[in-house]
Amino acid sequence: MPKSGGGGGNSKKPVQVQHDDNSGSNIIFENDNLKKRNKKKSASTAAQQDDATHPLGQEAPKKPDTRALIGGASWTGKLPVNLLSEHCQKQKWGKPDYTMTKTANGFLSSVVLKSTDPKTKETVTLPPFVLPSTYKDVAAQSTAVEARHFAATYALFRVCSMRNVHLMLPPNYRDLWKNEFETSKKEDAKAGRLWMYDADPFAAKQSQGEIQAQNMRKRAEEEKKRVQDINQSVNITLAPGLTGAASSRVVAKGWTQAPKLEMGKRNRTQVEDLVRRNAVWNPHGNDFPMAQNLKAINEITDLGFRTSHVEEAIAHCRDREEVLEWLLIHVPEDDLPTWSLPEGYSAGLSMASGNLKRDAAIARLAEAGYSTDLCARAIDDCGGDEGRAGEALQGSLVSTDKINIAALNLTDDDSTQTWKEEQETLGAIFGQRYRTISTSVFEICLQAEHLAACTLRIRRSMSYPKTLPTLAIISRQLPAYIRLSAARQLLIYADSNLLGEPMIFNLVDWLENELPRIIENPGKLRDVSAAIAGPSLSDTISTSKQAYVRPKPASISWKSGTSEGLELYNRWRSRQHTPKQQKMLTHRQALPAWKQREAIIQAVDQNQVTIISGETGSGKSTQAVQFLLDDLIQRQLGSSANLICTQPRRISALGLADRVSDERCMVVGDEVGYAIRGESKNRPGRTKITFVTTGVLLRRLQSSGGRTEDVVAALADVSHVVIDEVHERSLDTDFLLVLLRDVLSKRRDLKVVLMSATLDATVFEDYFKQSSSVGKVNIEGRTYPVEDFYLDDIVQFTAFVPRYQHQAHSVEELEDCNPNVAKSIQSLGMKLNFDLIASCVKYIDSQLGAEEGGILIFLPGVVEINRTLDAIRTLPNMHPLPLHASLLPIEQRRVFPNAPRGKRKVIAATNVAETSITIEDIVAVIDCGKVKETSFDPQNNMVKLEEVWASRAACKQRRGRAGRVRAGKCYKLYTRNAEAKMTERPEPEIRRVPLEQLCLSVKAMGVQDVPAFLKSALTPPESLAVGNAIELLRRIGALEDNELTALGRHLSMIPADLRCGKLMVYGAIFGCFESCLTVAAILTIKSPFVSPQNKRDESKTVRSSFAPGEGDLICDLRAYNAWSSKQSNSNYRDLRFWCEQNFLSRQTLQDITSNRFQYLSSLQDAGFLPPQYQEGTHTSLNAQNANPGLIRALIAGAFNPQIARIDFPDRKFAPSVSGTIELDPEARTIKFFNQENGRVFVHPSSTLFDAQGFVGNSVYISYFNKMATSKVFIRELTPFNAYTLLLFGGPITLDTLGRGLIVDGWLRLRGWARIGVLVSRLRMMLDDVLAGKIENPELEVAENEVVVAVRKLVEFDGMDR
């Protein structure tokens, strides 16, 4: 064992202390008490060992003495121990002490030097001189004596390497000096540690401590300067759109009046745990731009973050913004810059639980840097045992595995004696720096001059030293992250180098040497994240972001004479001779289209694109597809035929499928079928002609995968695409034309046929002729003549005199009229007169007399249809029917059968009846000449649904409805001059509607450059409108980084207003689907409440009573639910009376029900709802239907960015009996501001017009419509709280002055920056849940932990209630 002092006779030999071999190691220190106590025992033991070894009394072999062992038999010089002792005496240092450790490789020893100041009597002890671990094999010696002399040689080298002392050493040690020791010195010099080889190690240590302290002070000064620079340089951009007084007011009051954001501790812990476990950083794997790397490091470091943290974040993130988010999530609170902390932040504060013993144990464990919540969990899991909890926490620090309390070795062993003896020696070495806490816990104060107080706390593990002790580094100066990082690195070092032997002294030594380095570069945050935030407790649902891709159909084989083709031909041929087929054939041959049969077949056969123009009634819609199919069947190519014919409306597709099936003497769904939203009748492989709405075909192409090759593959089994009524130039039609033009260049056998009654063939020919051959066929004439009558004729026929005077027509329009008639027309004004329409119906009925025949009235919208039908119901013997897109298919089909005997059928329809449907008995048409058309102004982003004059082409189509089956008459409710001023054709829809849905559809098909794609349209939209649409998609959360989010993929498949679609998606996710479905239907139709002019206030009061203070839409929802409930248990009379009492329109309520059905079908068709879903099933989808706070939040999220900030006046108080109370503000003092217009005003019709306060801590309000008259008014209002804005609003940015968060670039919230990042990441995780729902519609997500966390935050405004 090592001995104190040198050789020779200058000092007494120290006594060797023996330990049980089972202990595995020995530690020997200079200790006079030990020498005296064990002197006799040592000699006696040696004698006994000699006797035991040689029982026969033979003389034992003579052991070599120390000089021969160290220097060799011929060595006569001094030994290393003697040389070191002499050097210490010369330098007036204390006697060298030696440590000794026995390992599997041999003995390891090190030297500890001391120096005592003769004046102050203060003793300075240096850390042991230990050769780096890379030289561990060199340092291990076979005997303790050799180890001691090796340690002395290395100590001499450390203080005398600049001198030729090695010449005085034995040969072996001389070689070590010149080779291994010199190499080690060069390595240290390269690493900047040359000071370790100073001749005066005590002075070097003092100097190094001063340098470290100076560096710490410098860093503190730099940090302080950074904060000052930030405060002086960072500015917050003003909200866009605010100028003048408004903007100056925002600057002055924007932050002081901003709502304060708080998050309950339980909620915050839950969200942090969710985010750390599941957040995905840089999901697309984009590398941080190298050119920006250094700049970003400097900028973010200047904000107060550590450089090592910033470098680690950049390795995980894609851009500067994500780096900031990563840092705010992963950097522990006590190491964050001050600007990112909340007001009055104090680290480590927590509420007491009432169990003082438990709280004290948690506090002690947390001193090591672990999170309080994790410590509490560990204490509870370990049954209150602090020792076991400490071991469990340490396991989370050094292992990526979850804490497993049961796996710990909790049995006692025989290491107690080793622990006690090590404590004694440590106490002797460290003196006052050593402090005993209990028999198993002690502390050692580290000698780190740059830290005021840093302590290493050691707790004995159950199997020490076979297992690591529990270590805790305690310092108020060091952030928790650095303490944990140092502890982790210390444990790794001990596990690799010291396990199985007493190790505390070496741990202290390593830590004192390495701690300055660790403080400078603490390492990766992720390495200690589990200890800071806690291990994962559960796993979330694994979701995929891959959208559903429709399986690719097999390509067409154009092979003639196949068995299937021959079978089709035989069936078709045998059918031609049946009487029923012959009768149908006779009818078909009477149509004008039949004369062009061969021309159509030839044009389609010889060209890729064929344009067919034909007057209304020519038979083009029913005959052209049959001509093509019959030609293929006769050529025995029927097996290759698959014709898809698009129609602009559902009723057209249904009517044509019925008509063509009848003409072919077959049932619908066999050879001829249809596919509309939510309903289809066709048989794959069997059906040869399929009538579809344009949207259905687009959705098929959308789900193909996106690239042109995918679209080509999706149409692989289609032989012909026929686009009917192409002249209408709907958004879907123009989109389809762009796609088909690209497909035709890849697929030369595909045929495209464009058909219309009034199309400008040149426009379409020019569009396609550059890439495809184009043929044209014109079908002449209508079947029957139609006679026209204008407004002056109608007034004269009916002798109509209006009851009220209205705005007059211009004199120029009436200059050719009879003066009396002109006077009546001027009194009519420009609006529809429903009494005139009823008078016209009455006149037509009288003209027809007993002759059968129906009347078709064209009106602009559903409201006008209802009022017209009400007026007609006053006439005798009428059978009035509505026809519009909001009706169910079964309701739409009621217009086709003949009227009951003795009655005349009168159909009031929108423009759905203009084309492609034939109502057999129509003999007269009344055309109001108006249409409701959407117009969009991209400059101010305003959408208007206006009643405008129809085009002459549309009026021509309407006129033709009267001559489909016989000669007819058309009564036009406008003058000849008004007709002359109508536009020739309607402006393409792509130029007059918002383009969000179109851009979303284009993006859903995988197109990267949407503006470039739309520029290739037949009539390109305005670039400003496209840019606004893409920006809105980003703001509503459908687009991110030029890629569709999960929400965007959902919305692209739902044929609804984006806001309504988003609301329904949210409803299904958050468990309030039926409520959101109803609200979406209300928004699509209108509010069910009526507001009579003389009872407006009374009506608004009744409406508000359904949901006081909840907003307009919640009131409407409650009213609809009440009506729906009463409908099932009340008779017609009682229900009607109840509706009248509550100012509810029964017709509107029924229209809402119809629209709900349509939306439900579309969601099932898009795969978002299970096909078997019905109201009352799938309770998880509707568990939260009665949660108004959640529904208001989802409405606000769906309407984003249509948000207004509520600006409350200064609070006022008044004395009362119970003390001072706060007064509610007057409604007129509450102001509202949006981003685009500045101040906006609540519309007088809103239930919130007179509101003095708002429910649920609401500080914002969402609106569906905005209209500008004398002021900018907002309507369909819903109030909501701050967390709704954070979770469903626009992008969240951080204010680096520490004032809070900015949402969507203009809405301010006072609060903690970390909350903003947590919520931002929670939003991304919600997107993953949506992605999972896309992949698996059956997936129940209403109770998913992410969804539950979001629901709690918005419902309770972040609090823990």
Side-chain angles (χ1 to χ4, degrees), residues 1036-1069:
I1036 67 173
L1039 200 63
E1040 182 180 338
D1041 295 330
N1042 205 34
E1043 296 291 340
L1044 284 182
T1045 62
L1047 175 64
R1049 291 195 293 275
H1050 272 310
L1051 295 180
S1052 69
M1053 301 297 291
I1054 301 174
D1057 180 280
L1058 286 180
R1059 295 166 295 179
C1060 295
K1062 189 175 178 182
L1063 179 60
M1064 291 185 285
V1065 168
Y1066 279 162
I1069 293 293

Side-chain angles (χ1 to χ4, degrees), residues 1097-1319:
D1097 291 340
E1098 188 179 347
S1099 170
K1100 190 161 68 173
T1101 301
V1102 171
R1103 185 185 184 191
S1104 299
S1105 67
F1106 279 93
E1110 298 274 2
D1112 302 326
L1113 295 176
I1114 302 296
C1115 290
D1116 294 349
L1117 170 65
R1118 296 268 178 86
Y1120 177 85
N1121 289 341
W1123 170 79
S1124 182
S1125 177
K1126 284 185 175 293
Q1127 197 176 30
S1128 59
N1129 53 29
S1130 300
N1131 57 45
Y1132 175 80
R1133 182 177 177 182
D1134 291 343
L1135 187 61
R1136 179 177 177 179
F1137 178 73
W1138 182 83
C1139 287
E1140 290 173 353
Q1141 269 191 324
N1142 289 283
F1143 296 91
L1144 289 166
S1145 165
R1146 288 173 293 137
Q1147 183 60 50
T1148 303
L1149 289 165
Q1150 290 167 0
D1151 290 344
I1152 292 169
T1153 301
S1154 173
N1155 198 257
R1156 286 177 88 256
F1157 174 82
Q1158 287 185 37
Y1159 278 151
L1160 191 61
S1161 299
S1162 66
L1163 287 166
Q1164 289 173 319
D1165 190 40
F1168 189 70
L1169 289 179
Q1172 68 275 19
Y1173 175 84
Q1174 293 180 355
E1175 188 173 357
T1177 65
H1178 297 76
T1179 54
S1180 63
L1181 289 173
N1182 295 294
Q1184 301 294 324
N1185 270 335
N1187 187 337
L1190 176 62
I1191 297 170
R1192 283 189 287 106
L1194 300 184
I1195 290 172
F1199 290 3
N1200 178 64
Q1202 292 169 207
I1203 290 171
R1205 172 174 55 84
I1206 304 174
D1207 194 355
F1208 294 95
D1210 294 335
R1211 295 189 297 173
K1212 294 182 179 179
F1213 300 88
S1216 69
V1217 176
S1218 58
T1220 304
I1221 59 172
E1222 184 177 351
L1223 298 176
D1224 289 332
E1226 296 181 22
R1228 62 184 178 82
T1229 64
I1230 302 174
K1231 299 176 182 179
F1232 304 87
F1233 297 86
N1234 75 354
Q1235 187 177 13
E1236 294 172 342
N1237 308 97
R1239 188 174 179 184
V1240 294
F1241 297 84
V1242 173
H1243 195 273
S1245 64
S1246 172
T1247 58
L1248 299 179
F1249 181 71
D1250 299 318
Q1252 295 178 278
F1254 304 91
V1255 297
N1257 297 330
S1258 296
V1259 288
Y1260 302 101
I1261 200 165
S1262 67
Y1263 57 89
F1264 190 71
N1265 280 316
K1266 179 177 65 173
M1267 56 187 297
T1269 55
S1270 58
K1271 300 175 182 176
V1272 177
F1273 289 100
I1274 51 177
R1275 308 180 61 165
E1276 291 86 37
L1277 307 180
T1278 306
F1280 62 94
N1281 58 33
Y1283 268 92
T1284 297
L1285 176 71
L1286 271 182
L1287 283 158
F1288 298 107
I1292 301 170
T1293 54
L1294 309 176
D1295 173 64
T1296 50
L1297 293 178
R1299 295 174 295 188
L1301 313 167
I1302 305 171
V1303 181
D1304 211 11
W1306 72 286
L1307 291 167
R1308 293 166 168 78
L1309 288 166
R1310 285 184 297 134
W1312 192 3
R1314 186 174 228 159
I1315 291 177
V1317 178
L1318 286 172
V1319 171

Side-chain angles (χ1 to χ4, degrees), residues 261-274 1069-1072 1184 1187-1194 1256-1257 1281-1288 1319 1322 1326 1341-1361:
L261 195 66
E262 296 178 321
M263 185 183 284
K265 184 177 179 182
R266 285 198 303 273
N267 274 341
R268 198 181 112 209
T269 301
Q270 180 187 4
V271 175
E272 284 180 345
D273 183 51
L274 276 173
I1069 293 293
F1070 285 91
C1072 50
Q1184 301 294 324
N1187 187 337
L1190 176 62
I1191 297 170
R1192 283 189 287 106
L1194 300 184
N1257 297 330
N1281 58 33
Y1283 268 92
T1284 297
L1285 176 71
L1286 271 182
L1287 283 158
F1288 298 107
V1319 171
L1322 195 61
L1326 182 62
V1341 297
E1343 293 305 317
N1344 174 274
E1345 56 184 343
V1346 174
V1347 174
V1348 171
V1350 171
R1351 189 173 70 221
K1352 285 171 62 179
L1353 288 174
V1354 299
E1355 188 176 354
F1356 301 120
D1357 199 22
M1359 294 295 99
D1360 288 333
R1361 287 178 296 166

Side-chain angles (χ1 to χ4, degrees), residues 214-379:
Q214 186 178 354
N215 289 339
M216 292 289 287
R217 286 193 297 271
K218 186 178 178 182
R219 278 197 297 270
E221 290 172 1
E222 289 175 352
E223 176 73 17
K224 186 177 180 181
K225 187 175 183 300
R226 281 196 201 103
V227 174
Q228 290 173 349
D229 291 343
I230 291 168
N231 291 337
Q232 293 170 3
S233 63
V234 177
N235 293 313
I236 299 301
T237 306
L238 290 177
L242 298 184
T243 59
S247 62
S248 63
R249 187 185 63 78
V250 171
V251 173
K253 298 184 178 181
W255 286 107
T256 57
Q257 294 189 346
K260 190 171 183 181
L261 195 66
E262 296 178 321
M263 185 183 284
K265 184 177 179 182
R266 285 198 303 273
N267 274 341
R268 198 181 112 209
T269 301
Q270 180 187 4
V271 175
E272 284 180 345
D273 183 51
L274 276 173
V275 169
R276 286 197 176 100
R277 282 192 285 121
N278 306 306
V280 177
W281 302 91
N282 192 8
H284 305 296
N286 300 325
D287 292 332
F288 199 95
M290 290 298 296
Q292 302 175 19
N293 199 310
L294 184 59
K295 181 182 177 183
I297 291 174
N298 292 333
E299 287 179 353
I300 299 173
T301 303
D302 286 344
L303 292 175
F305 292 98
R306 294 178 183 272
T307 303
S308 61
H309 294 177
V310 179
E311 290 172 346
E312 182 181 356
I314 283 176
H316 293 288
C317 302
R318 69 178 184 274
D319 53 33
R320 182 181 183 277
E321 288 68 30
E322 193 172 69
V323 167
L324 270 176
E325 290 189 13
W326 193 95
L327 290 168
L328 287 168
I329 288 291
H330 290 90
V331 174
E333 295 169 14
D334 56 356
D335 203 22
L336 284 172
T338 53
W339 62 263
S340 67
L341 299 171
E343 299 174 15
Y345 171 80
S346 178
L349 233 80
S350 62
M351 297 296 291
S353 66
N355 185 336
L356 297 180
K357 182 179 178 182
R358 176 180 178 274
D359 291 342
I362 292 171
R364 283 192 295 271
L365 292 171
E367 283 183 311
Y370 302 105
S371 75
T372 305
D373 293 326
L374 185 60
C375 294
R377 193 185 314 166
I379 280 286

Side-chain angles (χ1 to χ4, degrees), residues 637-668:
L637 287 170
S639 60
S640 304
N642 184 9
L643 290 79
I644 294 181
C645 182
T646 71
Q647 295 295 324
R649 285 167 281 276
R650 292 185 304 159
I651 191 171
S652 303
L654 293 171
L656 285 169
D658 287 340
R659 180 68 185 174
V660 173
S661 292
D662 288 345
E663 289 184 359
R664 300 184 73 80
C665 298
M666 302 192 79
V667 296
V668 176

